[in-house]
Amino acid sequence: MKKYLVLILLLSTSCSKWLDIKPISEVSGDELFKSEDGFKDAVNGLYSLCLNEDIYGKELMGGLPDVLAQNYAIPVLDGAGYRQASLYNYKDKSLIDRKGRIWQRLYEVIANSNLILAKVDQQKSILSGVNYGLIKGESLAMRAWCHFDALRLFAPSFASMPAARGVPYATEFSKNAAAMQTVTALLDSVIKDLTAAKEILRGVDPILNAGYKVGYMIADSSTEANGEMFAQQRRHRLNYYAVCGELARVYLYKKDPVHALQNALEIINANKFPWTRQEDFMNGNDAKKDRILYKELIFGFYMPNRKDAMNDLFRKGTGEGLFISSTEGKNIYEVAGVGGEDFRFKQWFSEQSVNSTTYLQLEKYKRTDDNLHYLMGPALRLSEIYYIAAECTFATDPDKAWAYFNEVRLHRGIGPYSGPADTNSFYAELLKEARKELYGEGQLFYMYKRLNRSIVGLGGKPVPPSDGVFVLPLPDDEIAYGNR
């Protein structure tokens, strides 16, 4: 795939506000937006920026949030540098630096989104066909996406403190710092941008066409590679259904199950994303094996150049990589009971041994060069949409909620849940299944936080919910210089 240019920005990180952002060259920016290809390069640059290892190229894909969710066994001799994070020691210097880089990179993507949005209406006349809508819709959605993740990391949850200070919501490409918003106000801003993006994409996104068929990019009947790439391969981008899925996430975070369910059902009822077949997930030929459950991705980050980095994160053994003990992994996937035939456990983990100690190595991101599909970092899955639908439905129709829940289990080689059907059991089972499904993808911590429930630590030891656990302190420069 063609490598796209990334907009060049300078983010000042010393003696000034973290959100003071200016282009290195105003002239180069003006030149970029004189042509339709320049706009396309700029939008593709947003996705390239997201692949920085400080955000979705590693850290937010399987790193820090999953460490905080207690998904890994972090040894005292901590070569990966995550032990203090696993202990929620947010005063640790290395963790301060790590979260500062996350903040900086998220707002770098936001700044680039704002630059595109500032130019796209001015230059609408040079954008042909559906390109104006795709450019504006995706840029709005990306701005909302990154703000929401900043909120989920650096602010109290809506369930905990809806009126608390959140994070800045930047809507202009400016040297001035954006105003800090409350948690509720920021969620409203995210919803506003996503709703606008959804309405724009509704009229232009090729993924909505009846003839658009998702599938494997290589040797498959997918239509995603047909035509110009900018208007195809829509699951590599913030497409219409990805915006619906993110709206479902945000509405659920804001405790609005009605609108969350409406957006989730748009995806479910479209039948656009097929469940992965058992023969693909379990294929003995590594070139044909679909470990990532590719067809179910509603949105993902195209990241073939991150293959070694993602593998290194999980494959450097017990001294430097992220791993889990064999016993703990088997407990998480309930291998001795209902999970004895769980496809995920069988395909995502391999047992390794070092110094007479066994551990499980995550193989989810392992990929051969001739595999059926490109390496993707999962950002939004069909299974999560079913979990959202189940959660939104439980209070009014528990039988329907369990049906949504069991739909995922059945496609993972597990029979339907047959235990107690009360509310506490539902949420306990939902969190257990989400942990299995989203392991190594950076989403579980946000779920614990949204529900304000105890994190299930290693050995089943609970970590009680609190803002001391769930809220990463804002970067020092933002506290010192940012608007309050």
Side-chain angles (χ1 to χ4, degrees):
M1 183 178 287
K2 178 180 177 182
K3 294 182 179 178
Y4 291 94
L5 299 175
V6 178
L7 295 181
I8 302 173
L9 298 178
L10 176 62
L11 279 78
S12 177
T13 59
S14 62
C15 300
S16 63
K17 301 171 186 176
W18 277 58
L19 301 185
D20 280 0
I21 303 167
K22 59 184 178 181
I24 289 175
S25 170
E26 294 286 356
V27 176
S28 64
D30 290 340
E31 288 297 321
L32 183 67
F33 295 114
K34 282 184 176 179
S35 70
E36 187 168 62
D37 284 343
F39 272 98
K40 293 176 183 178
D41 285 345
V43 174
N44 286 307
L46 298 179
Y47 297 98
S48 296
L49 284 171
C50 285
L51 293 183
N52 186 284
E53 67 176 16
D54 293 324
I55 43 177
Y56 305 104
K58 186 175 79 170
E59 195 64 76
L60 297 184
M61 187 57 62
L64 182 60
D66 268 18
V67 170
L68 298 175
Q70 301 298 313
N71 268 349
Y72 310 121
I74 311 294
V76 175
L77 296 176
D78 174 27
Y82 284 107
R83 182 165 177 78
Q84 293 306 309
S86 73
L87 300 173
Y88 309 108
N89 179 12
Y90 295 141
K91 294 182 180 180
D92 175 69
K93 176 62 167 60
S94 65
L95 181 53
I96 289 172
D97 292 342
R98 191 187 298 270
K99 67 183 178 65
R101 292 191 298 271
I102 292 171
W103 176 275
Q104 177 179 337
R105 296 302 183 185
L106 286 173
Y107 278 96
E108 181 180 357
V109 180
I110 289 166
N112 278 268
S113 301
N114 284 333
L115 179 56
I116 296 169
L117 290 167
K119 299 290 186 179
V120 68
D121 286 327
Q122 297 174 14
Q123 298 288 75
K124 184 176 180 180
S125 62
I126 69 171
L127 302 174
S128 61
V130 301
N131 288 331
Y132 166 78
L134 294 179
I135 289 165
K136 186 169 184 177
E138 289 182 36
S139 299
L140 281 167
M142 184 65 80
R143 181 169 78 183
W145 182 282
C146 292
H147 276 114
F148 184 50
D149 276 0
L151 180 80
R152 293 199 291 180
L153 280 171
F154 292 98
S157 69
F158 183 86
S160 172
M161 296 178 65
R165 181 181 68 177
V167 299
Y169 203 89
T171 58
E172 296 180 351
F173 186 74
S174 170
K175 65 180 181 179
N176 299 317
M180 193 75 70
Q181 293 192 352
T182 66
V183 171
T184 299
L186 192 132
L187 289 172
D188 288 340
S189 295
V190 169
I191 289 169
K192 179 180 178 181
D193 271 353
L194 289 173
T195 300
K198 180 179 175 180
E199 290 308 306
I200 292 169
L201 292 171
R202 188 196 302 274
V204 299
D205 197 335
I207 203 170
L208 291 163
N209 297 338
Y212 188 100
K213 183 177 179 181
V214 304
Y216 298 117
M217 296 300 296
I218 303 172
D220 192 88
S221 57
S222 164
T223 63
E224 293 174 280
N226 295 351
E228 183 193 11
M229 194 207 73
F230 189 77
Q232 293 296 320
Q233 301 186 16
R234 298 300 297 159
R235 283 178 303 156
H236 297 172
R237 314 179 72 87
L238 283 164
N239 61 73
Y240 176 83
Y241 293 112
V243 172
C244 290
E246 185 72 348
L247 271 168
R249 273 181 179 169
V250 177
Y251 275 123
L252 195 62
Y253 201 88
K254 199 186 172 190
K255 290 186 172 295
D256 183 347
V258 173
H259 288 99
L261 181 61
Q262 286 176 357
N263 281 278
L265 289 179
E266 277 207 60
I267 299 170
I268 292 172
N269 294 337
N271 293 314
K272 183 69 71 170
F273 306 93
W275 293 104
T276 302
R277 300 180 305 176
Q278 178 180 345
E279 54 264 40
D280 292 330
F281 196 10
M282 305 284 284
N283 202 300
N285 182 344
D286 215 43
K288 296 181 179 180
K289 188 186 297 293
D290 179 10
R291 288 189 179 90
I292 213 71
L293 305 171
Y294 185 86
K295 291 183 179 181
E296 300 173 24
L297 292 183
I298 298 165
F299 171 45
F301 292 102
Y302 171 78
M303 53 193 303
N305 294 334
R306 302 298 301 165
K307 180 177 69 173
D308 292 342
M310 292 303 293
N311 279 335
D312 287 349
L313 183 63
F314 301 108
R315 300 172 67 85
K316 284 190 174 182
T318 59
E320 298 178 58
L322 295 173
F323 68 96
I324 195 166
S325 73
S326 297
T327 299
E328 194 69 42
K330 291 173 182 177
N331 287 339
I332 290 172
Y333 284 85
E334 302 178 282
V335 172
V338 69
E341 295 301 319
D342 194 317
F343 303 155
R344 296 166 297 192
F345 183 77
K346 292 183 175 183
Q347 296 304 312
W348 287 348
F349 295 91
S350 65
E351 193 164 65
Q352 308 291 323
S353 178
V354 60
N355 298 328
S356 301
T357 300
T358 60
Y359 66 95
L360 295 177
Q361 177 173 280
L362 185 65
E363 304 284 4
K364 182 178 282 189
Y365 297 99
K366 181 181 178 182
R367 205 65 87 253
T368 58
D369 291 338
D370 59 346
N371 195 268
L372 273 173
H373 55 88
Y374 307 116
L375 177 62
M376 298 291 293
L380 188 60
R381 289 190 172 280
L382 180 64
S383 52
E384 183 183 348
I385 300 305
Y386 273 82
Y387 293 151
I388 291 172
E391 193 174 336
C392 293
T393 308
F394 188 81
T396 56
D397 191 347
D399 289 341
K400 183 67 172 177
W402 284 112
Y404 285 130
F405 174 83
N406 285 323
E407 182 76 8
V408 183
R409 285 170 63 109
L410 291 170
H411 286 94
R412 302 297 182 251
I414 304 178
Y417 175 74
S418 58
D422 60 283
T423 301
N424 285 336
S425 296
F426 172 76
Y427 278 102
E429 291 300 315
L430 184 68
L431 283 164
K432 281 165 59 176
E433 283 300 314
R435 190 180 193 185
K436 300 172 190 175
E437 182 76 6
L438 305 174
Y439 193 96
E441 297 182 13
Q443 293 297 325
L444 182 65
F445 176 71
Y446 304 136
M447 192 171 180
Y448 284 124
K449 180 173 181 174
R450 172 177 61 78
L451 294 169
N452 201 36
R453 293 177 72 96
S454 293
I455 294 172
V456 180
L458 301 182
K461 182 179 179 180
V463 178
S466 74
D467 285 346
V469 167
F470 287 141
V471 182
L472 275 65
L474 290 173
D476 291 341
D477 281 359
E478 181 56 38
I479 294 171
Y481 298 103
N483 294 324
R484 305 273 176 107

